[in-house]
């Protein structure tokens, strides 16, 4: 091991780096992640109910309003493929009673084509894994010819490897390496994660396609891989999350700390992120331990998905599929932002937001419902807002 450390500190070798070997696997359609709700006895259940009620000021709502909000949460849990449990009061789970709660079904029947708020699905214009790797190599080769100063970097990061797994392993380990976390150790760790859980790379490819589709500043796949720290931070988190699920929590937390130092993005390794995630600019993004982020979510810099209270239960937000969170948005507590919704820059969300709604302000208020235009399709942070709205 000391030999590895000396090799990393020595002059770079002029020989061709040997590509890392990875097991081949077929891409799989997103199956979603499941979160198992902890068991609670009746006394503890009543305590958690009181905490959430007082924190979110739900005691000021009518019984019907509470049922409506719970119904939206259950609908979103179903979309995120989480485990559905009875309400905290022990009563039967409420059902959707009003058409205004969520117009997903009606909207989808009217326009049967794909919607980002339905979850991640590969689209016809998306490249396959082999096509994507060929495109990345072609772009790197072109950049190496046009800019010789980058040739060495492009060769060591992309062109010397046989697949995207090896490229991501080398890139992330190089970024995160430090005197107490050697690059060789991180390479072996990430190689182990990619080999043992192919879903990590499936999600990485979905994130790459999402950045290319939604970020108007990105016109090359290599641009996102090499230079976008939001993309790099999410992929690093996926490895830390794998470690957390494997019970290697100390190492997962150490990796999280290093990710925060390097990318200025702090995502707890227990947080669950879906596919097709884009974090633009990324500086200052914080996502807490029990947060759940669905597929096709886009967020900008300084977004906070924070906790509320000191309880050990769920204390962070659940973000639905296809949600757009503007710059500086803060979502606090175990609230739900429904699928296809949009939250304006600088808003503070402390209550549930239904599906396909537009919210803005401090605290955030719903200014439009039944939003038919998918928020993440064009990343428009101004459209649908009331420009003369007074807070």
């Amino acid at each position: 091991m000391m030999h590895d450390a000396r090799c990393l500190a020595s002059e770079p070798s002029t020989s061709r780096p040997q590509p890392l070997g990875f097991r081949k696997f077929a891409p799989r359609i997103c199956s979603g992640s499941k979160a198992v709700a902890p068991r609670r006895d009746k006394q503890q259940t009543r305590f958690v109910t009181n905490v959430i009620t007082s924190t979110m000021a739900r005691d000021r709502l009518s019984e019907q309003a509470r049922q409506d909000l719970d119904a939206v949460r259950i609908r979103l849990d179903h979309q995120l493929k989480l485990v559905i449990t009875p309400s905290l009061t022990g009563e039967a789970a409420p059902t959707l009673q009003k058409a205004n709660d969520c117009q997903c079904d009606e909207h989808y029947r009217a326009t049967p084509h794909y919607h980002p708020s339905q979850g991640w699905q590969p689209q016809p214009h998306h490249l396959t894994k082999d096509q994507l790797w060929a495109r990345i190599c072609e772009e790197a080769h072109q950049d190496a010819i046009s800019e010789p100063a980058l040739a060495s970097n492009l060769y060591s990061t992309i062109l010397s490897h046989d697949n995207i797994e090896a490229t991501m392993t080398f890139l992330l380990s190089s970024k995160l390496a430090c005197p107490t976390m050697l690059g060789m150790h991180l390479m072996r760790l990430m190689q182990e994660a990619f080999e043992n859980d192919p879903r990590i790379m499936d999600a990485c490819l979905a994130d790459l396609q999402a950045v290319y589709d939604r970020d108007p500043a990105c016109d090359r796949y290599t641009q996102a891989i090499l230079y976008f720290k939001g993309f790099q931070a999410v992929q690093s988190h996926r490895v830390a999350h794998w470690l957390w699920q494997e019970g290697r929590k100390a190492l997962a937390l150490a990796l999280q700390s290093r990710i925060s130092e390097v990318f200025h993005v702090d995502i707890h390794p227990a947080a669950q992120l879906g596919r097709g995630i884009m974090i633009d600019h990324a500086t200052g993004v914080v996502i807490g331990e029990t947060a759940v982020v669905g597929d096709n979510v886009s967020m900008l810099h300084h977004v906070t998905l924070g906790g509320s209270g000191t309880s050990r239960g769920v204390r962070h937000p659940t973000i639905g599929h296809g949600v757009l969170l503007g710059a500086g948005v803060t979502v606090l507590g175990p609230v739900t932002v429904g699928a296809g919704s949009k939250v304006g820059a600088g808003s503070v969300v402390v209550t549930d937001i239904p599906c396909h709604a537009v919210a803005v302000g401090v605290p955030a208020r719903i200014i439009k419902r039944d939003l038919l235009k998918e928020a993440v399709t064009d990343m428009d942070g101004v459209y649908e807002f009331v420009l003369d709205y007074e807070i």
Side-chain angles (χ1 to χ4, degrees):
M1 199 59 63
M2 293 299 296
H3 175 71
D4 294 339
R6 289 194 297 270
C7 288
L8 291 175
S10 61
E11 294 296 327
S13 173
T14 57
S15 62
R16 177 185 176 90
Q18 294 298 320
L20 295 175
F22 286 87
R23 184 178 62 188
K24 294 184 178 180
F25 51 83
R28 302 192 313 186
I29 301 299
C30 174
S31 59
S33 57
K34 295 184 178 180
V36 179
R39 296 182 177 177
R40 303 187 178 96
D41 54 28
K42 292 183 178 179
Q43 183 177 1
Q44 186 179 6
T45 295
R46 287 194 297 270
F47 172 75
V48 175
T49 302
N50 293 335
V51 171
I52 295 177
T53 300
S54 60
T55 301
M56 305 316 303
R58 292 165 69 101
D59 53 331
R60 295 196 296 266
L61 299 177
S62 65
E63 182 64 26
Q64 182 60 47
R66 289 185 211 172
Q67 291 180 1
D68 293 343
L69 291 178
D70 288 338
V72 174
R73 181 184 294 277
I74 290 173
R75 176 66 171 247
L76 181 57
D77 286 345
H78 177 70
Q79 289 180 331
L80 294 178
K81 298 181 180 179
L82 299 176
V83 174
I84 306 301
T85 58
S87 61
L88 293 176
T89 60
E91 301 174 355
T95 58
L96 287 173
Q97 299 178 357
K98 293 185 177 181
N100 290 334
D101 288 337
C102 182
Q103 296 287 349
C104 294
D105 291 339
E106 290 78 2
H107 180 46
Y108 294 157
R109 283 196 292 268
T111 54
H113 55 79
Y114 168 72
H115 299 269
S117 56
Q118 291 176 296
W120 171 259
Q121 295 179 21
Q123 296 304 296
H125 68 278
H126 288 165
L127 303 179
T128 65
K129 183 180 179 182
D130 292 338
Q131 291 172 339
L132 189 58
W133 175 242
R135 177 75 170 272
I136 292 170
C137 291
E138 180 184 356
E139 292 176 358
H141 183 69
Q142 292 174 353
D143 289 343
I145 294 176
S146 62
E147 190 57 72
L150 292 175
S152 177
N153 177 40
L154 293 170
Y155 180 81
S156 61
T157 306
I158 297 176
L159 297 176
S160 64
H161 303 292
D162 293 333
N163 49 49
I164 193 169
E165 290 92 342
T167 284
M168 294 306 302
T169 295
F170 180 85
L171 175 67
L172 297 179
S173 61
S174 300
K175 289 274 186 177
L176 298 174
C178 64
T180 57
M181 257 186 184
L182 300 182
M184 188 61 66
H185 296 168
L186 290 173
M187 288 179 68
R188 292 171 179 170
L189 176 65
M190 292 180 182
Q191 180 179 359
E192 180 184 359
F194 292 148
E195 288 181 346
N196 284 276
D197 192 351
R199 293 175 298 178
I200 298 177
M201 185 49 57
D202 290 345
C204 173
L205 298 178
D207 296 341
L208 184 58
Q209 296 281 7
V211 174
Y212 186 81
D213 286 345
R214 299 181 213 154
D215 191 341
C218 180
D219 54 8
R220 300 168 74 86
Y221 290 104
T222 51
Q223 189 176 352
I225 291 176
L226 295 174
Y227 311 125
F228 285 12
K229 68 178 183 178
F231 173 79
Q232 296 169 352
V234 171
Q235 308 322 310
S236 302
H237 161 77
R238 296 194 187 281
V239 176
H241 182 66
W242 175 80
L243 288 170
W244 186 271
Q245 290 181 315
E246 292 293 310
R248 304 167 69 179
K249 295 186 177 182
L251 183 55
L253 291 169
L255 187 58
Q256 173 209 1
S257 176
R258 186 59 184 157
I259 293 169
S260 179
E261 292 174 0
V262 174
F263 301 120
H264 300 278
V265 175
D266 195 352
I267 308 176
H268 194 281
Q272 302 178 53
L273 271 59
R275 303 188 178 200
I277 303 296
M278 188 194 78
I279 305 182
D280 197 11
H281 301 292
T283 298
V285 170
V286 177
I287 300 178
E289 177 185 9
T290 59
V292 178
V293 180
D295 298 342
N296 300 324
V297 172
S298 294
M299 62 184 76
L300 280 78
H301 51 286
H302 290 291
V303 167
T304 298
L305 305 182
S308 178
T310 58
S311 64
R312 291 291 183 181
V314 177
R315 61 189 186 280
H316 294 92
T318 298
I319 309 298
H321 299 322
V323 169
L324 172 60
L325 302 176
V329 167
T330 299
V331 189
L332 297 176
V335 300
T336 297
V337 179
S341 292
K342 180 194 303 188
V343 183
S347 300
V348 177
V349 179
V350 293
T351 56
D352 291 358
I353 297 176
C355 299
H356 300 286
V358 180
V360 64
V362 181
R365 296 179 176 87
I366 297 172
I367 61 174
K368 185 175 180 61
R369 292 179 181 268
D370 306 336
L371 183 65
L372 297 181
K373 189 175 183 179
E374 292 283 347
V376 298
T377 301
D378 54 11
M379 295 292 295
D380 193 336
V382 178
Y383 178 78
E384 297 290 350
F385 286 119
V386 180
L387 298 182
D388 60 351
Y389 181 78
E390 295 183 1
I391 301 175

